[in-house]
Amino acid sequence: MAESPENLIFKYGSPGSSYPKDTGGEETGFYRSWKPILIQEGFYDFLFGLSSYLDFQKKLSTLAEEPVGVSLALSCMVEVNVAGGILLKKKSQQNENLNLVSEFSENQFQTTASLWEGFRNPKHTIIYAVGVSEPGWEGKLRKLSSNLENGFLSGTKSFITNGGEADVIFWVTKQGLTNPVYLVKREKDITHRPNSVWKEETFFTEFTKEVSHLKLSLCEYSITDKDLVLENYGNLGMELRLKELLSLVSLLIGKTKKISFEYQTVAKEREKLMEWRESFLSVCQENPSGDFLLSGFPFPTDALLLALTSVWNLSTPKELSSIDPDYQLFVWEDSFTNYLVQKKKRNL
């Protein structure tokens, strides 16, 4: 099965550095340094209907063939799947309601249109992140405590991937039985904000160490009607999480390419996983729906992970992180993933 021979880390990277050549390095930021190149190389084309979701997944795999590329592929796939997924949903709703455009919805339309520039304009880099996870929410949207009252947003998001570099955060809230999403603009200079209104902490994990995460607490942060991105995150959340999990399949395919040259058992299971991805996604030429993705879930990575476990004489796949911390990505279990497993069992 053909794979792209060109790896962007080799093409644009600076030897001995996590950053591309001729950029500001740490001062600019990891994902921010690479995003203009990813735009140029078509990594966001799927969002504009210029390539298939399978094409996007193949690009992720090629990125993940190099150690620093795993971090870059993770940052890219989260932004495309989640932030991009929210914008795609908004675009779909706007297209359905073109004949019902009011002054209010027209303002929203203009706001959403400007947000798309962050995926198409390499000269004006904008990083989007999404805030869903909250302390104690257990993967259940009904347990979110973030809320908007009288034009002021309050709440805490505990794990915002790409948040440390983000310019804009799509903040998922709770309002009755729905989960509206609002724009929160993150200013680089927050020294003028009192801690009682805005408190943030950037952190990194032991795996994919280049990817920044953010814990952010807001208290009576001013929000206007034009900041409403989506009226209800609702069922979309399942679709976007499934896209993230499917993208981890692609990262695993890339991550294991080099070791597959050394061990036939790994090569065999990796090839099977690539064939499964090709077969599963080739029938989906458009944006894959949640129901479609759920039909293939849980995604079949176990055999490849077990092959890796065997060649390194480990007891369980969870021990793979002792070989390389980035393998933690593929054995990580969270409450929402477990919910999806139970949902799939109920549907069988």
Side-chain angles (χ1 to χ4, degrees), residues 181-193:
V181 182
Y182 289 91
L183 283 182
V184 172
K185 296 180 180 179
R186 180 170 177 261
E187 300 173 19
K188 296 306 178 184
D189 181 9
I190 62 171
T191 56
H192 68 285
R193 292 187 182 277

Side-chain angles (χ1 to χ4, degrees), residues 82 85-87 89 230 232-241:
V82 190
I86 288 172
L87 290 178
K89 182 67 173 180
L230 206 60
N232 190 12
Y233 189 72
N235 292 334
L236 180 64
M238 181 187 76
E239 174 189 312
L240 303 189
R241 180 57 181 156

Side-chain angles (χ1 to χ4, degrees), residues 80-178:
V80 169
N81 287 325
V82 190
I86 288 172
L87 290 178
L88 284 174
K89 182 67 173 180
K90 182 65 175 180
K91 181 179 180 181
S92 174
Q93 292 177 347
Q94 289 175 332
N95 288 340
E96 292 174 0
N97 297 311
L98 281 179
N99 296 327
L100 302 174
V101 175
S102 64
E103 181 179 352
F104 170 62
S105 59
E106 181 65 22
N107 287 336
Q108 285 191 348
F109 184 88
Q110 292 174 357
T111 299
T112 308
S114 67
L115 290 172
W116 281 113
E117 287 302 299
F119 290 115
R120 61 158 59 97
N121 186 350
K123 295 182 179 179
H124 182 51
T125 306
I126 305 173
I127 306 296
Y128 302 121
V130 179
V132 183
S133 300
E134 294 185 358
W137 81 305
E138 299 176 347
K140 300 174 183 177
L141 291 174
R142 61 181 172 82
K143 286 192 173 184
L144 293 181
S145 59
S146 291
N147 66 90
L148 184 71
E149 292 185 7
N150 301 319
F152 293 100
L153 175 64
S154 297
T156 295
K157 296 301 180 183
S158 53
F159 201 101
I160 306 174
T161 299
N162 290 330
E165 295 189 58
D167 300 291
V168 176
I169 295 169
F170 297 153
W171 192 287
V172 182
T173 65
K174 186 175 185 297
Q175 186 175 17
L177 298 177
T178 63

